[in-house]
Amino acid sequence: MAITRPLSRGDQTREALISAALGVFGRSGFDAASTRAIADAAGVNQALIGYHFGGKHGLYLGVFEHIVGQMQQHMAPVAEEVVSRLADAPAGQPARRELAVQLLQSIFDAFNDMSFEHAPEGWVRLILREQQDPTEAFQLLYDGIISRMIGLVTQLVAMGSGLEQSSEACRIRAMMIFGQVLVFHTARGTVSRHLGWDPPGPDSLRALKQQFRLVIESQFPPGVVVP
Amino acid sequence: MAITRPLSRGDQTREALISAALGVFGRSGFDAASTRAIADAAGVNQALIGYHFGGKHGLYLGVFEHIVGQMQQHMAPVAEEVVSRLADAPAGQPARRELAVQLLQSIFDAFNDMSFEHAPEGWVRLILREQQDPTEAFQLLYDGIISRMIGLVTQLVAMGSGLEQSSEACRIRAMMIFGQVLVFHTARGTVSRHLGWDPPGPDSLRALKQQFRLVIESQFPPGVVVP
DNA sequence: GTCTATAAAGTGATAGAC
DNA sequence: GTCTATCACTTTATAGAC
């Protein structure tokens, strides 16, 4: 935890702008979001965007730096645990398969908790937009957090399946596993209608995590080693 | 196939506008897309949007009607085949599990072919936007095609897993299966970097379909009936 | 560091000529 | 059915007072 001390007026303005911009950019996208709407939501004068961030685009990048920092904080503990448990794991094939399943489950438990509970509304939408049309901001995201997470998951898929970690098949499988949890964010409208999750509540999150655990187990069944 | 006959000038204008709007709305979203940009891309006068569609919003709805029609055409054959093969399937549990796996594979083979090969660039992005913030257009999509597809897949998941078709667990599993293929569209940026698919080509599609088939098989393993 | 005021460019819709 | 011209409004950025 960083030490918190009284923020200067300028810092307060910056924080208010970032927080407001998160929501407005998330809802409308970069082009359709107006600096006036952001300034109003932040309770701040529109001209201050230019002063503090150099303009609309600078504010946009500031938002993503903030998101990356938050995501790193949420995922760091579990990522470190996974790495250390991988380091001193026994060598036997069946034991490693079981460990892979277990670690995948804890990674995605944390990931689901973050994306459903702690992440402000705007995160998911902003990241999704950048995935569709990557700009400078996607670089921050990918290098800051995504790269590390997809790398870990790919490594665990290799361990659990017997596939070569560097193979295309293994990387495809890793993407698919992410897809199984991301779909509940990306296909929001269908989730709302087909599951009646509008919005998803604590019960939804519990049910989702349970099904995910079951699916992971069935995808890496005991005693099977894919050649 | 509908009979094709020479289009009147007005029909040509409408088609050009829909096609251009597909791309521009897809890239920029409704608010950020300008009617001038659409008209220019269509090689048509800006005032004609008002004449033919009543305005920007009417054109947007027209685009989605067009998309729903195209998707129905692509998916109808396989959907009908699935329904008929379900109708006269034998009653034995193991045989039905195997059939479910097989039908899921053919549904998603068709779905992947459509979304990677035949779907114009704009489809995926437009649908994704509506999933995030459903408007009137999402109703068209859901009632026109999504509802039917997610329903079929849920039914097959029930058959393959032994879960009750109306259970939440079963519907969650169906969403997850869609997630496994949708992620290659929704997480485009990560797919591009992690897999080097930029854009995904025929080889990518082949590899994806193969992995999907394997995953489906492992998710509904022979001889296991979930209580 | 914050504010008001405004410049310069772009927006969707539409009236009216052809 | 198509075109030009234009209205009323909103956009981002910024100059200059405090």
Side-chain angles (χ1 to χ4, degrees):
Chain A
M1 285 295 242
I3 318 159
T4 29
R5 36 189 194 122
L7 297 174
S8 70
R9 179 117 191 253
D11 288 339
Q12 280 180 34
T13 300
R14 259 201 290 276
E15 281 202 1
L17 278 173
I18 293 228
S19 167
L22 193 60
V24 178
F25 280 136
R27 270 187 295 281
S28 320
F30 182 81
D31 287 326
S34 85
T35 53
R36 277 170 172 75
I38 295 168
D40 286 356
V44 147
N45 190 283
Q46 183 244 350
L48 292 176
I49 291 174
Y51 180 77
H52 286 289
F53 296 94
K56 190 184 182 180
H57 185 243
L59 174 56
Y60 187 71
L61 291 181
V63 167
F64 276 88
E65 280 171 22
H66 177 256
I67 290 177
V68 168
Q70 296 284 306
M71 290 182 77
Q72 283 172 342
Q73 271 190 34
H74 278 296
M75 298 304 296
V78 69
E80 281 160 21
E81 193 210 331
V82 167
V83 169
S84 86
R85 286 185 62 186
L86 278 179
D88 44 51
Q93 275 252 2
R96 286 183 75 79
R97 188 210 62 84
E98 202 171 327
L99 178 63
V101 168
Q102 205 177 323
L103 294 182
L104 279 171
Q105 289 173 336
S106 46
I107 285 185
F108 281 97
D109 272 358
F111 187 79
N112 281 319
D113 284 340
M114 176 184 73
S115 62
F116 278 98
E117 289 186 331
H118 304 302
E121 181 64 16
W123 286 22
V124 176
R125 284 162 143 153
L126 276 170
I127 295 173
L128 224 87
R129 284 179 203 281
E130 282 294 322
Q131 290 275 10
Q132 290 305 301
D133 301 281
T135 70
E136 205 180 336
F138 186 72
Q139 190 85 356
L140 294 176
L141 266 179
Y142 192 81
D143 296 342
I145 178 85
I146 295 177
S147 161
R148 183 171 164 77
M149 293 216 40
I150 187 79
L152 261 188
V153 171
T154 304
Q155 189 179 348
L156 291 170
V157 167
M159 253 177 71
S161 67
L163 289 165
E164 188 58 48
Q165 184 175 342
S166 60
S167 68
E168 186 177 57
C170 189
R171 289 198 290 248
I172 291 176
R173 296 285 275 266
M175 287 299 305
M176 283 183 165
I177 291 178
F178 267 101
Q180 287 178 318
V181 311
L182 290 176
V183 69
F184 294 91
H185 298 287
T186 57
R188 227 181 140 81
T190 300
V191 165
S192 158
R193 304 228 178 193
H194 190 60
L195 286 163
W197 292 359
D198 193 21
D203 290 345
S204 315
L205 177 56
R206 228 185 330 272
L208 163 56
K209 282 161 80 172
Q210 193 199 340
Q211 290 305 315
F212 181 78
R213 284 174 160 269
L214 291 173
V215 170
I216 287 295
E217 271 176 28
S218 77
Q219 274 186 35
F220 304 110
V224 176
V225 178
V226 182
Chain B
M1 283 299 241
I3 319 158
T4 29
R5 38 190 192 119
L7 297 174
S8 71
R9 178 115 192 256
D11 288 340
Q12 279 180 34
T13 300
R14 260 200 290 277
E15 281 203 0
L17 278 172
I18 293 226
S19 167
L22 193 60
V24 179
F25 281 135
R27 269 186 296 281
S28 321
F30 182 80
D31 287 325
S34 85
T35 53
R36 279 172 175 78
I38 295 169
D40 286 355
V44 147
N45 191 282
Q46 183 242 350
L48 292 177
I49 290 173
Y51 180 78
H52 287 288
F53 296 94
K56 189 184 183 182
H57 185 242
L59 174 56
Y60 187 71
L61 291 182
V63 168
F64 276 88
E65 278 170 24
H66 177 257
I67 290 178
V68 168
Q70 295 285 306
M71 290 182 79
Q72 282 172 345
Q73 272 190 35
H74 279 296
M75 298 304 296
V78 69
E80 279 160 23
E81 193 211 331
V82 167
V83 169
S84 87
R85 287 185 62 187
L86 278 179
D88 43 52
Q93 273 253 0
R96 287 183 75 79
R97 188 210 63 84
E98 204 171 325
L99 178 63
V101 167
Q102 207 178 323
L103 294 182
L104 279 171
Q105 289 172 337
S106 47
I107 285 184
F108 281 97
D109 272 357
F111 187 80
N112 281 318
D113 284 341
M114 175 184 74
S115 62
F116 278 99
E117 288 186 331
H118 305 301
E121 180 65 17
W123 286 23
V124 176
R125 283 161 143 153
L126 276 171
I127 295 173
L128 226 87
R129 283 179 204 280
E130 282 294 322
Q131 289 275 11
Q132 290 305 300
D133 300 280
T135 71
E136 205 179 336
F138 186 72
Q139 191 85 355
L140 294 175
L141 266 181
Y142 191 81
D143 295 342
I145 179 83
I146 295 178
S147 160
R148 183 170 164 79
M149 294 217 37
I150 186 82
L152 261 188
V153 170
T154 304
Q155 189 181 348
L156 292 170
V157 167
M159 254 178 71
S161 67
L163 289 166
E164 188 57 46
Q165 184 177 342
S166 59
S167 67
E168 187 178 54
C170 189
R171 290 199 289 249
I172 291 176
R173 297 283 276 264
M175 288 298 306
M176 283 181 166
I177 290 177
F178 268 101
Q180 287 178 318
V181 311
L182 290 176
V183 68
F184 294 91
H185 298 288
T186 57
R188 228 180 139 81
T190 300
V191 166
S192 158
R193 304 227 180 193
H194 190 60
L195 286 163
W197 292 0
D198 192 22
D203 289 344
S204 314
L205 178 55
R206 227 183 331 271
L208 163 56
K209 283 162 80 171
Q210 193 200 339
Q211 290 306 314
F212 181 78
R213 284 174 160 268
L214 291 173
V215 170
I216 287 295
E217 272 177 27
S218 77
Q219 273 185 36
F220 304 110
V224 176
V225 177
V226 182

